Amino acid sequence: MTPAALTTQTPQARRTPPREQGRDSAWRPQRGMNWSSKTVVNLVLVLFCLYTVLPLTWLLIAATKNTSDLYGTPGFTFADLNLVDNLIELFTWEGGTYFRWLLNTFAYAGLGSCASVAVSFLAGHAFDKFDFPGKERWYGFVLVGVLVPAAVTTMPLYLMASGIGLVNTFWGVFLPGIASPFGVYIARIFSSSYVPKEMIEAARLDGAGELRIFLKIAAPLMKPGIVTVFLMSFSATWNNFFLPLVMLSDSDLFPAALGIYTWHSRVGADPEFAHLVVIGSLVTLIPVVVLFASLQRFWKAGIGSGALK
Amino acid sequence: MLTATTTTQTKVARRSRRRSGTHALLFLAPFFVLFISFTIAPVAYSGFLSLFTEKTSGLGFGGATKAFVGLANYLRAIQDSGFLSGFLNIAMYCLLYIPVMIGLALVIALLLDSAAAQAKSFFRLAFYLPNVVPGLIAAIIWMYLYTPGISPLVDVFETTGATWDLGSQLAALFSLSNLAIWLHTGYNVILFYAALQAVPEDILEAATVDGAGAVRIALAIKARMISGAVTVATLFTVVGAMQLFAEPLLLKSLSRAIDGGWTPNMFIFQTAFDRHDFGYAAATSLLFAVLIGGLSWAVTKLGSKVNS
């Protein structure tokens, strides 16, 4: 969840049109490119592609095996196809606990990211468009927050949460993830480069309320920023394993990763858990892959501004 | 007429400024309430805790009593080899993983940007894929791929005559580095590739006219033009890498070289939740936070210098 200060590049990045289309054929010396160097370049790319994709392919193949084939057959060859059996077992194991974990993950990451987007953009909009005493000092305070690693707040959070009865509740994991100083930082940048001040002034003169201006005028203009912050927050929550590990002991509240971790720690005692871990890992990945693939054009643009992750 | 308009405008401006103040408060309140409760308060509480030590009486029955110890926890931390060895492990991990990852990402991004590359869109998607895998699940996948009998990798390795032993310190470092390289290279490829798109065309054109070859253009011009992005990405990777936790926690079961306090984060976790030494855990985590905060601050400074 490393914040990337590269976001400061956003305005410049926007001014530079993507040169991907058209340019290559427009001027590049295609004739000078000989056959062998073309092969080498693409061969290296294919090799790297194998490196990124093969472990996931292994997961896909392993998910079709039962435990004895998982350990008894080579990783990249198929054995008896047990995919459907594995899926049924996964979703019915211990009264369908895995399905609950998936729902929890969506609640933590999905709802949490929506809340994070709302909170960040309200604040970012206020910092960019409102005038109030001590504005830059407050903003400096937010930026200091970017420097605080989540790893450090987790232990005191647990102790505080146990003081007020938030330990082992949904809120104990949900609430701490919402306020993101880095999200506010990005929101302010997007507000200043995507929402013209004059537009806000005009709406004010027309008598529109501030919340209405924010929702109807500013927010739609900042859509790429909103998707960027959403994805950033989503993947941060999705990846956050430390906080739920500390906060939760009731397995009904676990996110999928923590649930899979507890299954994994039982493999030693009962190897049958191994294939549940494998199929569970695969199923956990599918929603994120779908989410990122469907929002591809947003993060590919957002990543140019370095705002993602 | 003109003056009338100006006064109305000033009035409106003054009114809107006053209005702005109240609205700013309402717009900022949700963030600051959550931020102060869940980030600032825990840090402050940590500071408070770090000055105390919990003394349990006898078998621990009857609860623990807090005793004020001043800076003793901090003094203990800077002399504690268990805590400091975590930094050493992280330093070695960073030295092994980061140069390889950044170098590889740069090479792949330059190749992807070259005219010879085909199917760029497909490659970008495939390269990005590992980035959406949570570290814990990546660790599970690679743990199997490090297991003899399952993984062709191990078979290939053993044909060289060496024995596969994940138990050694070096093997643990290599396994964790490979895991991190797999997770993060693709993301940085996409990042560098995006930066390469901003390299002005006329410079590249001029170089071509001057007779520079594709390789030379890539290394002498393109790589240099995106060096800012590379520097910032490197430093951010360091800050992220220092917080390593889930992956070694999982690989611990496979490698005896990794103990419960192998990284600073694991050490803090172990101190707090296995040993219930919250005062000491708070002190170590604050020291760790200062280090990471300092590094992040340097990154931000450097980042803004690079960008301006």
Side-chain angles (χ1 to χ4, degrees):
Chain A
M1 198 209 74
T2 327
L6 295 165
T7 328
T8 40
Q9 293 176 340
T10 309
Q12 295 100 296
R14 260 180 76 226
R15 257 179 264 126
T16 325
R19 55 160 222 222
E20 211 172 317
Q21 294 95 10
R23 194 186 82 164
D24 295 328
S25 48
W27 69 271
R28 287 199 175 184
Q30 295 288 349
R31 280 163 278 111
M33 188 61 62
N34 62 36
W35 185 83
S36 64
S37 63
K38 206 167 181 168
T39 315
V40 170
V41 166
N42 287 292
L43 193 68
V44 175
L45 290 176
V46 167
L47 282 177
F48 184 67
C49 187
L50 288 177
Y51 177 63
T52 58
V53 169
L54 276 182
L56 294 170
T57 315
W58 172 83
L59 186 67
L60 209 61
I61 294 171
T64 68
K65 294 177 179 175
N66 59 30
T67 293
S68 62
D69 284 340
L70 184 62
Y71 288 108
T73 56
F76 288 93
T77 51
F78 281 99
D80 294 338
L81 289 179
N82 279 309
L83 181 64
V84 176
D85 293 346
N86 286 344
L87 280 171
I88 292 170
E89 202 181 347
L90 175 71
F91 281 103
T92 55
W93 189 261
E94 286 168 0
T97 185
Y98 179 79
F99 189 67
R100 245 207 107 89
W101 294 344
L102 271 189
L103 287 182
N104 291 340
T105 313
F106 273 99
Y108 295 129
L111 298 179
S113 306
C114 290
S116 182
V117 164
V119 165
S120 298
F121 277 86
L122 277 172
H125 177 81
F127 275 124
D128 188 56
K129 296 291 186 294
F130 293 157
D131 235 351
F132 55 92
K135 179 158 114 169
E136 292 310 318
R137 224 168 309 135
W138 282 103
Y139 188 62
F141 183 45
V142 175
L143 290 188
V144 169
V146 177
L147 306 183
V148 180
V152 175
T153 54
T154 306
M155 192 268 300
L157 261 178
Y158 166 80
L159 294 176
M160 289 164 70
S162 73
I164 55 172
L166 275 183
V167 160
N168 209 16
T169 63
F170 172 81
W171 302 107
V173 172
F174 180 81
L175 289 175
I178 294 177
S180 154
F182 193 59
V184 175
Y185 170 73
I186 294 175
R188 185 178 184 173
I189 287 174
F190 271 94
S191 173
S192 75
S193 54
Y194 280 64
V195 186
K197 261 202 158 100
E198 299 74 32
M199 215 177 224
I200 304 288
E201 294 293 335
R204 276 180 191 155
L205 288 174
D206 287 346
E210 291 297 337
L211 189 65
R212 223 183 102 165
I213 293 175
F214 172 72
L215 290 174
K216 298 276 173 195
I217 298 171
L221 289 171
M222 295 187 285
K223 215 163 153 195
I226 289 175
V227 176
T228 304
V229 172
F230 178 83
L231 286 178
M232 195 183 79
S233 165
F234 191 90
S235 88
T237 319
W238 198 267
N239 276 302
N240 190 355
F241 168 68
F242 201 5
L243 184 68
L245 175 70
V246 166
M247 220 37 112
L248 303 174
S249 52
D250 177 1
S251 72
D252 277 351
L253 293 169
F254 284 2
L258 183 57
I260 290 170
Y261 176 73
T262 59
W263 275 354
H264 174 79
S265 53
R266 283 153 81 180
V267 170
D270 180 0
E272 275 302 310
F273 275 102
H275 73 279
L276 285 175
V277 168
V278 168
I279 184 92
S281 300
L282 179 71
V283 175
T284 309
L285 290 183
I286 292 169
V288 221
V289 172
V290 170
L291 180 77
F292 274 79
S294 59
L295 292 174
Q296 221 189 116
R297 73 195 170 91
F298 289 105
W299 60 255
K300 270 186 184 164
I303 216 170
S305 58
L308 225 133
K309 230 182 158 190
Chain B
M1 180 66 193
L2 194 72
T3 19
T5 331
T6 329
T7 23
T8 338
Q9 271 178 354
T10 358
K11 242 186 235 161
V12 168
R14 206 177 299 140
R15 207 183 312 138
S16 93
R17 172 171 286 216
R18 215 174 16 232
R19 220 171 57 151
S20 255
T22 3
H23 281 110
L25 192 72
L26 291 173
F27 274 61
L28 291 171
F31 172 77
F32 275 103
V33 167
L34 290 165
F35 176 60
I36 291 171
S37 321
F38 296 107
T39 304
I40 301 300
V43 172
Y45 187 50
S46 249
F48 171 76
L49 276 176
S50 70
L51 305 175
F52 292 87
T53 190
E54 303 230 343
K55 295 248 164 70
T56 40
S57 49
L59 291 167
F61 298 115
T65 47
K66 270 206 184 86
F68 183 81
V69 290
L71 296 176
N73 281 324
Y74 292 96
L75 288 173
R76 185 179 149 200
I78 53 171
Q79 293 164 344
D80 185 345
S81 63
F83 179 53
L84 298 176
S85 72
F87 285 96
L88 193 69
N89 289 331
I90 281 290
M92 290 201 293
Y93 164 74
C94 287
L95 281 176
L96 202 61
Y97 140 57
I98 295 170
V100 176
M101 192 276 277
I102 295 288
L104 186 64
L106 185 59
V107 169
I108 299 292
L110 287 170
L111 290 179
L112 196 61
D113 190 53
S114 75
Q118 307 287 316
K120 294 183 182 195
S121 201
F122 163 79
F123 276 131
R124 278 200 292 165
L125 196 60
F127 294 168
Y128 190 76
L129 217 45
N131 191 54
V132 304
V133 179
L136 185 89
I137 289 177
I140 289 175
I141 296 173
W142 279 99
M143 206 196 67
Y144 279 101
L145 293 177
Y146 294 148
T147 307
I150 293 181
S151 170
L153 281 179
V154 179
D155 299 340
V156 170
F157 181 82
E158 286 190 333
T159 52
T160 62
T163 29
W164 179 259
D165 176 22
L166 201 57
S168 74
Q169 181 76 15
L170 200 64
L173 275 172
F174 272 113
S175 326
L176 285 168
S177 301
N178 172 57
L179 183 57
I181 291 166
W182 182 74
L183 271 173
H184 302 300
T185 310
Y187 171 77
N188 285 294
V189 169
I190 306 293
L191 192 75
F192 296 162
Y193 181 78
L196 284 170
Q197 305 315 301
V199 174
E201 267 177 52
D202 43 352
I203 295 182
L204 300 178
E205 249 169 283
T208 318
V209 172
D210 287 348
V215 175
R216 191 135 172 243
I217 290 179
L219 294 178
I221 299 173
K222 289 182 180 175
R224 206 162 286 172
M225 295 284 282
I226 65 160
S227 65
V230 176
T231 314
V232 176
T234 308
L235 288 166
F236 271 113
T237 307
V238 176
V239 172
M242 290 192 62
Q243 301 187 49
L244 189 68
F245 178 72
E247 294 88 339
L249 189 71
L250 205 103
L251 281 178
K252 205 171 66 160
S253 61
L254 218 66
S255 166
R256 57 181 186 279
I258 301 174
D259 60 17
W262 201 75
T263 71
N265 238 351
M266 291 168 82
F267 180 87
I268 293 163
F269 179 80
Q270 192 184 42
T271 309
F273 298 104
D274 293 346
R275 302 196 183 124
H276 301 282
D277 194 348
F278 292 114
Y280 188 47
T284 48
S285 71
L286 280 177
L287 285 175
F288 186 48
V290 167
L291 192 76
I292 292 183
L295 260 174
S296 317
W297 180 78
V299 168
T300 324
K301 274 278 152 224
L302 202 83
S304 54
K305 203 187 279 173
V306 164
N307 283 321
S308 59

